[in-house]
């Protein structure tokens, strides 16, 4: 049989977790197909950038692409519901919750592609140049965030600045932003620890990702190759979540030891204040998406049930 060559586009730099999971998937597919399939990977936006990923894969500019749904909040309403402040505790649980949600609802926005897997970041925390110890400290602070995280920053009174992660190091250098709101592995991967000497643990909101394949390319694959990829979908989702959680712990340790970063834990009373201000976000999301014809309240209920089920394991 003629070798099958596939191109796989990704937008962040090679050492970051979406690219680490890409390389792992490539190796597994090549190994499990006995070398029948080879995957050429393109990290760092070299083939498609973050905003063009979905349309680029649909158009066939890449066979496979990894996208962050938060970068297009209106387009991916169902899967972006995982970005609501619903208490996802870590990336492993978040990834499984996202995969459950996708498989239950099979949202229309993915109808033009084959979804190969999904995964989530660890919950977001604030990384900043100045110490943020109270809700008052965060008010008026310019912080980078995208998607559902933006709503959360607004609720806390911060100024949300939207931009892809890859543009953030320069924005920090120029002082366009004073910090960012994301999962903490970026402290090491993007060397943010060199500029952000404080991490405030808020453990709120994940960013959902999907890996999608061009529909015609998927249809052209032999059944045995399709089966390898289908079998890998849920496994890859869990593997990426576990990798992410371990990597976040490593990044925090490294930031403290190598860059003398201070990690700030909010007191229970202070954390309650932060969380209380977020309650209206989910209610507003339910109202807005019910009006668009989505079973929004049921989606939120399903996410909560899925969190409880996976967290219990």
């Amino acid at each position: 049989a003629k070798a099958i060559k596939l191109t796989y586009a990704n937008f962040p730099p090679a050492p970051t977790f979406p690219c680490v999971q890409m390389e792992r998937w490539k190796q597994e597919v090549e190994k499990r197909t006995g070398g029948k399939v080879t995957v050429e990977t393109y990290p760092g936006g070299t083939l498609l950038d973050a905003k063009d990923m979905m349309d680029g894969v649909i158009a066939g500019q890449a066979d496979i692409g990894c996208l962050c749904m938060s970068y297009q909040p209106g387009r991916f309403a169902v899967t972006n519901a995982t970005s609501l402040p619903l208490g996802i505790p870590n990336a492993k649980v978040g990834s499984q919750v996202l995969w459950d949600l996708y498989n239950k609802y099979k949202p229309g926005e993915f109808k033009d592609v084959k979804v190969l897997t999904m995964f989530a970041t660890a919950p977001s925390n604030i990384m900043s140049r100045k110490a943020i110890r109270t809700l008052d400290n965060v008010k008026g602070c310019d912080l980078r965030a995208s998607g559902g995280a933006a709503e959360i920053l607004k609720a806390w009174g911060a100024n949300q600045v939207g931009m892809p992660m890859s543009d953030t190091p320069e924005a920090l250098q120029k002082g366009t932003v004073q910090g960012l709101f994301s999962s903490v592995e970026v402290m090491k991967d993007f060397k943010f620890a060199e500029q952000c000497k404080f991490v405030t643990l808020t453990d709120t909101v994940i960013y959902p990702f999907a890996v999608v394949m061009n529909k015609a390319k998927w249809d052209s694959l032999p059944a045995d190759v399709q089966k390898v990829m289908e079998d890998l979908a849920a496994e890859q989702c869990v593997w990426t979540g576990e990798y992410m959680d371990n990597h976040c712990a490593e990044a925090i340790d490294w930031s403290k030891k190598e860059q003398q970063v201070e990690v700030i834990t909010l007191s229970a009373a202070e954390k309650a204040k932060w969380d209380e201000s977020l309650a209206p976000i989910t209610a507003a999301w339910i109202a807005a998406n019910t009006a668009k014809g989505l079973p929004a309240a049921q989606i939120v209920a399903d996410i909560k049930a899925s969190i409880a089920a996976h967290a219990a394991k």
Side-chain angles (χ1 to χ4, degrees), residues 120-168:
T121 63
S124 295
N125 296 293
I126 295 172
M127 294 152 260
S128 54
R129 287 174 172 274
K130 65 169 196 177
I132 294 173
R133 301 180 195 280
T134 65
L135 196 50
D136 286 340
N137 294 159
V138 84
K139 294 197 188 326
C141 198
D142 296 319
L143 299 172
R144 175 266 169 201
S146 65
E151 294 301 312
I152 286 168
L153 288 183
K154 281 179 206 157
W156 288 337
N159 298 330
Q160 178 265 335
V161 183
M163 65 179 70
M165 191 63 83
S166 43
D167 295 347
T168 310

Side-chain angles (χ1 to χ4, degrees), residues 22-227:
M22 168 173 76
E23 296 302 331
R24 188 261 174 182
W25 187 87
K26 162 198 160 81
Q27 284 166 4
E28 290 298 320
V29 167
E30 290 176 350
K31 188 172 79 189
R32 295 179 195 196
T33 59
K36 189 169 172 177
V37 175
T38 55
V39 184
E40 285 172 21
T41 56
Y42 294 86
T46 47
L47 185 54
L48 286 169
D49 68 16
K51 294 257 167 80
D52 299 327
M53 196 61 72
M54 184 71 162
D55 292 325
V57 170
I58 291 170
Q61 289 165 267
D63 297 323
I64 304 164
C66 176
L67 65 131
C68 179
M69 282 84 89
S70 301
Y71 291 0
Q72 293 175 287
R75 184 172 187 174
F76 300 104
V78 176
T79 48
N80 271 330
T82 54
S83 296
L84 291 166
L86 298 171
I88 288 174
N90 54 46
K92 185 181 176 182
V93 168
S95 297
Q96 292 171 291
V97 167
L98 176 62
W99 190 235
D100 286 351
L101 190 70
Y102 168 73
N103 283 302
K104 175 168 179 182
Y105 287 95
K106 293 278 162 64
E109 53 267 29
F110 292 102
K111 72 178 183 339
D112 298 325
V113 291
K114 167 67 184 173
V115 176
L116 296 175
T117 191
M118 287 190 177
F119 53 87
T121 63
S124 295
N125 296 293
I126 295 172
M127 294 152 260
S128 54
R129 287 174 172 274
K130 65 169 196 177
I132 294 173
R133 301 180 195 280
T134 65
L135 196 50
D136 286 340
N137 294 159
V138 84
K139 294 197 188 326
C141 198
D142 296 319
L143 299 172
R144 175 266 169 201
S146 65
E151 294 301 312
I152 286 168
L153 288 183
K154 281 179 206 157
W156 288 337
N159 298 330
Q160 178 265 335
V161 183
M163 65 179 70
M165 191 63 83
S166 43
D167 295 347
T168 310
E170 195 185 334
L172 271 167
Q173 270 158 358
K174 287 182 175 166
T176 317
V177 293
Q178 293 155 305
L180 63 150
F181 183 50
S182 178
S183 46
V184 293
E185 87 290 349
V186 295
M187 287 293 277
K188 188 176 183 187
D189 291 355
F190 282 89
K191 303 281 188 284
F192 287 139
E194 290 171 7
Q195 298 183 69
C196 297
K197 295 300 179 187
F198 300 93
V199 173
T200 305
L201 297 177
T202 58
D203 282 333
T204 323
V205 74
I206 57 99
Y207 286 77
F209 284 73
V211 178
V212 298
M213 185 186 250
N214 176 275
K215 202 71 177 282
K217 181 58 78 171
W218 169 259
D219 292 340
S220 76
L221 295 175
D224 60 328
V225 171
Q226 288 184 344
K227 185 175 186 324

